[in-house]
Amino acid sequence: MSLWTSREPKSGIQSEYIAIPGDVEEGGDLALRDDGPIIRQKPRTKLPRSVYAIICGLVVYRALVLALSLGNQVNRRVLSGRDNKEDPFANWGKPGTGTDGLAWYPTDFLRDVLPVPCHSHNDYWRRVPLFSALYAGCTGVEADVWLRDGDLLVGHDTASLTRNRTFQSLYVNPLVDILTRMNPKTEFYNGNGNGVFDTNPSQTLVLMIDLKTAGPETWPVVTEQLEPLRERGWLSYSENGQFHQGPITVVGTGNTPFDQIVANGTYRDAFFDAPLDRLENSTYDATNSYYASTSFMEAIGGVWWKGSPSDEQLAKIRAHISEAHSRGLKARYWELPGWPIHVRNNVWKVLVDEGLDMLNVDDLEAATKEDWARPGTF
Ligand SMILES: *[C@@H]1O[C@H](CO)[C@@H](O)[C@H](O)[C@H]1NC(C)=O
Ligand SMILES: *[C@@H]1O[C@H](CO)[C@@H](O)[C@H](O)[C@H]1NC(C)=O
Ligand SMILES: *[C@@H]1O[C@H](CO)[C@@H](O)[C@H](O)[C@H]1NC(C)=O
């Protein structure tokens, strides 16, 4: 796999320093490596300090310009959905378009959308929460919820909360709408199990709920607010140790209390986000959890410019994924390296090749296009 080819030393960099014994040019320094071969280093030309300073300055300036332009591009694309003429979000929320309530979506909205295993993080700050993720094909969305006066508000931090951005209005009601359309009662169709994606109705959508306020108080409100989905039979559930997949799979993370998830010993319709790096000897399995996740930065560490995890990092990643799979859990990392783009793409590719089940992404459009998986993509 190109995973391995990308880890081989680039020819043309090292070979310059390896000389055939006897083939020594005048002026070259000779050195002897432990294992024998003679190494020739090219004679160094001394440059004045000021020249180095100018070169360094130029490199830093270039990197800044590049970073800014990339950041702008990513922002523009993510915030505007797809930047083509068929952008269904172009007039979203504008008065008179019938979209102000967010309880509307275009007919056949997801007709051509192919579901892909990416998880849309920070979903609520996109222009149209939930829909942007679905339109990109992501099979997971995440909402950060805060308990305020008995209701659940959605936002990244307390400053972004407003009374009308609720879990119900941004997530539950639109999902009920979409699934009602996907499961019409006609003389030809009487099913109830279609998911949100036309192209693959059996694909479940993971609704990840990140509790930002105290778990014991917040979780009961979450399960209560899921009732419209529950009463229509649209939630995945586990009964007597058997998992039954439905159109929506609810996963609790953040302050979600594990003891409340497993309070009913035989039945549950919400699942835990188990710690991917602490699965050994634990009780987390497919009857109580769905994902096993951890921060890539914390558990695996940074990845250098070259873009490939080290052997040690790769061994950890493999141990994590195989432990999760042996418990029937889906492995997920969050806090993946996001920049530079070629490092991000390469890490995504390595993780998918290694069997990771869910990519956590902030750049929806990039993640749902396959070209990042091609070697040499920048
Ligand atoms: C929320 O309410 C405020 C004030 O009434 C309004 O300006 C804003 O557009 C509303 N936002 C949404 C998402 O409905
Ligand atoms: C567990 O949930 C099921 C389904 O809602 C219910 O029938 C059962 O009584 C519950 N068991 C306990 C111990 O609460
Ligand atoms: C798991 O249990 C085994 C056997 O009891 C023990 O040797 C091992 O150290 C435990 N691992 C962890 C991470 O606690």
Side-chain angles (χ1 to χ4, degrees):
M1 302 234 68
S2 52
L3 159 66
W4 294 110
T5 48
S6 66
R7 296 178 69 255
E8 279 165 14
K10 293 264 190 303
S11 57
I13 295 173
Q14 287 202 342
S15 57
E16 193 181 327
Y17 297 98
I18 298 175
I20 302 153
D23 174 27
V24 180
E25 271 175 27
E26 245 184 350
D29 298 325
L30 275 182
L32 211 57
R33 273 212 311 233
D34 289 351
D35 49 352
I38 294 168
I39 304 213
R40 162 171 55 82
Q41 292 180 338
K42 288 229 173 108
R44 286 204 200 128
T45 345
K46 291 258 187 219
L47 287 172
R49 263 163 192 255
S50 57
V51 175
Y52 279 119
I54 290 168
I55 291 172
C56 283
L58 281 175
V59 167
V60 169
Y61 172 75
R62 196 62 211 132
L64 274 175
V65 169
L66 191 66
L68 283 174
S69 76
L70 281 173
N72 276 341
Q73 257 180 42
V74 168
N75 272 342
R76 233 193 352 263
R77 296 169 110 194
V78 168
L79 292 173
S80 64
R82 297 183 183 186
D83 39 13
N84 62 28
K85 285 199 197 85
E86 289 160 24
D87 181 2
F89 306 124
N91 292 311
W92 197 285
K94 290 192 182 150
T97 58
T99 57
D100 355 15
L102 290 174
W104 172 92
Y105 81 109
T107 317
D108 293 343
F109 175 57
L110 298 173
R111 191 180 50 205
D112 304 320
V113 175
L114 281 173
V116 288
C118 74
H119 182 94
S120 163
H121 185 228
N122 292 343
D123 181 63
Y124 43 81
W125 59 255
R126 296 180 203 294
R127 244 173 80 201
V128 184
L130 178 66
F131 293 105
S132 303
L134 295 184
Y135 192 56
C138 280
T139 56
V141 294
E142 178 170 345
D144 291 2
V145 302
W146 308 70
L147 184 64
R148 288 286 184 273
D149 301 330
D151 203 356
L152 297 173
L153 303 184
V154 176
H156 183 56
D157 49 30
T158 49
S160 63
L161 302 181
T162 68
R163 295 257 167 222
N164 51 5
R165 294 180 70 83
T166 65
F167 180 57
Q168 202 92 42
S169 69
L170 294 182
Y171 292 90
V172 178
N173 295 345
L175 283 173
V176 167
D177 249 42
I178 296 176
L179 290 173
T180 303
R181 284 161 203 258
M182 287 298 291
N183 295 284
K185 295 285 166 284
T186 72
E187 59 176 313
F188 306 110
Y189 179 81
N190 194 31
N192 192 39
N194 277 348
V196 297
F197 296 104
D198 282 289
T199 43
N200 184 5
S202 65
Q203 172 67 51
T204 193
L205 174 76
V206 176
L207 175 57
M208 183 117 151
I209 306 168
D210 187 344
L211 269 58
K212 293 298 184 188
T213 41
E217 288 81 44
T218 314
W219 187 250
V221 184
V222 171
T223 55
E224 192 188 307
Q225 295 210 348
L226 290 169
E227 189 58 28
L229 292 164
R230 180 183 297 117
E231 70 185 19
R232 290 168 173 83
W234 287 332
L235 296 182
S236 299
Y237 64 96
S238 158
E239 192 171 28
N240 299 320
Q242 192 69 40
F243 181 78
H244 302 267
Q245 184 178 288
I248 309 285
T249 302
V250 174
V251 179
T253 188
N255 289 335
T256 298
F258 183 67
D259 57 340
Q260 285 194 26
I261 293 242
V262 296
N264 184 323
T266 54
Y267 184 91
R268 65 195 55 103
D269 57 20
F271 299 85
F272 197 62
D273 182 26
L276 180 58
D277 52 341
R278 283 177 284 127
L279 289 178
E280 211 184 316
N281 301 347
S282 74
T283 58
Y284 304 115
D285 62 28
T287 68
N288 53 45
S289 306
Y290 188 78
Y291 283 143
S293 320
T294 191
S295 155
F296 187 90
M297 282 301 170
E298 269 173 40
I300 307 296
V303 173
W304 293 101
W305 181 265
K306 188 167 68 129
S308 303
S310 67
D311 288 347
E312 197 190 334
Q313 288 177 321
L314 205 54
K316 260 194 202 169
I317 291 168
R318 287 180 177 158
H320 283 169
I321 293 176
S322 79
E323 181 74 35
H325 287 178
S326 74
R327 292 163 178 270
L329 303 178
K330 303 204 183 306
R332 183 181 76 108
Y333 286 111
W334 41 277
E335 249 180 7
L336 292 169
W339 194 89
I341 303 295
H342 78 274
V343 170
R344 179 199 74 180
N345 286 354
N346 202 45
V347 170
W348 285 1
K349 175 162 168 43
V350 168
L351 292 176
V352 168
D353 284 350
E354 291 297 328
L356 194 82
D357 301 281
M358 209 60 162
L359 270 180
N360 222 57
V361 298
D362 281 331
D363 188 354
L364 283 183
E365 209 188 354
T368 54
K369 281 195 179 144
E370 275 297 309
D371 52 2
W372 54 267
R374 249 184 273 130
T377 303
F378 189 109

